[in-house]
Amino acid sequence: MKWRKLGNWLPQIPGFTHAALPVYRHGWVYFTSRDHQNRSHVFRVVFDPKTGPRGEPVEVLRPGEAGSFCDAGVMSSWFHENNFYVTGWNRGVDVRFRNSIGVAHCDDGEPLLALGPVLDRSYLNLSLVASPCVVVHGTNLRMYHVRCNRWKPVHGALNPVYSIARADSKDGLNWTPAPGFCIPLRAEEHAIARPCVIYDDVLQMWYSYRGKAYRIGYAESA
């Protein structure tokens, strides 16, 4: 499987850096950028797959109020129908941060941060959850997501160790996590993240994995 790079795009948004975690929906690309406090915000821009972005990006989600699941930032992740699933950030003390998964309801193309979190720490999700991907599974919904259960020193700093887990739901809001991980970490890896799943005879998953640097991986499952 070969990919052909078509170019890079970094929007010039005053006071912001980065353009990460793109999600395409109905002619728009939703992406995450960072402000001067290193907090994530979500923008969107009109996008033509043949010619790229058009016009100026518009902010659609910003960090929440103090004490909320996303008071240190909110990141784009996945659309399922009118639910926009996001990752929320909180700052930590003994570790740098914790994440949880929330949802914004998208009405007429304008997401509003109205609900969340929908998946957080639990007896299976010991440290953090992030980067949801939601697909139809039979009569239910299935969420593939990042699960971290421990932190350890990696390359001289304390880093989260995580891989892909799953959870199931009937309504997209109440989720039941499943034990275990979908993809095991290899010896040189300490992170597998951002699952993107589609059905085409078999389940196909694209994801990022990290050893010394991030790369893109691919997996299949019956």
Side-chain angles (χ1 to χ4, degrees):
M1 183 178 297
K2 294 183 179 180
W3 293 82
R4 183 164 57 94
K5 295 181 180 180
L6 299 180
N8 298 326
W9 176 67
L10 181 62
Q12 300 303 307
I13 306 173
F16 286 83
T17 62
H18 297 72
L21 304 166
V23 183
Y24 182 81
R25 173 182 165 90
H26 297 168
W28 298 84
V29 162
Y30 295 75
F31 65 94
T32 299
S33 192
R34 297 185 193 175
D35 64 20
H36 67 283
Q37 295 178 289
N38 207 31
R39 302 180 308 167
S40 298
H41 300 235
V42 178
F43 291 79
R44 70 173 189 171
V45 67
V46 176
F47 189 88
D48 185 323
K50 294 182 179 179
T51 61
R54 291 188 288 111
E56 297 297 322
V58 177
E59 185 179 40
V60 293
L61 291 176
R62 61 182 58 193
E65 296 181 358
S68 69
F69 83 103
C70 60
D71 61 5
V74 57
M75 298 194 312
S76 47
S77 194
W78 198 266
F79 274 102
H80 178 73
E81 297 180 347
N82 285 336
N83 283 337
F84 186 24
Y85 291 91
V86 299
T87 300
W89 288 77
N90 298 129
R91 292 187 174 92
V93 177
D94 293 328
V95 295
R96 300 192 309 277
F97 59 85
R98 59 170 290 204
N99 297 125
S100 53
I101 292 170
V103 63
H105 184 72
C106 184
D107 187 16
D108 296 327
E110 294 294 339
L112 300 174
L113 198 58
L115 299 171
V118 293
L119 192 65
D120 204 343
R121 292 186 295 186
S122 69
Y123 69 101
L124 290 174
N125 305 321
L126 298 181
S127 182
L128 63 84
V129 290
S131 303
C133 162
V134 176
V135 296
V136 175
H137 182 76
T139 59
N140 295 331
L141 295 175
R142 174 155 292 175
M143 178 194 291
Y144 296 92
H145 63 87
V146 166
R147 171 185 291 159
C148 169
N149 282 346
R150 64 190 177 98
W151 290 62
K152 74 172 186 178
V154 178
H155 305 314
L158 194 62
N159 279 279
V161 179
Y162 49 84
S163 187
I164 307 301
R166 62 181 177 86
D168 292 310
S169 174
K170 294 186 180 298
D171 59 8
L173 300 178
N174 299 284
W175 294 88
T176 301
F181 292 92
C182 299
I183 302 178
L185 288 165
R186 292 177 292 193
E188 68 275 16
E189 298 170 347
H190 64 91
I192 298 177
R194 191 106 199 278
C196 296
V197 175
I198 62 172
Y199 287 99
D200 187 9
D201 296 329
V202 296
L203 276 169
Q204 299 178 308
M205 179 189 291
W206 287 263
Y207 58 91
S208 66
Y209 65 96
R210 186 179 184 184
K212 292 184 178 180
Y214 276 111
R215 302 294 298 273
I216 295 175
Y218 173 78
E220 293 183 352
S221 174

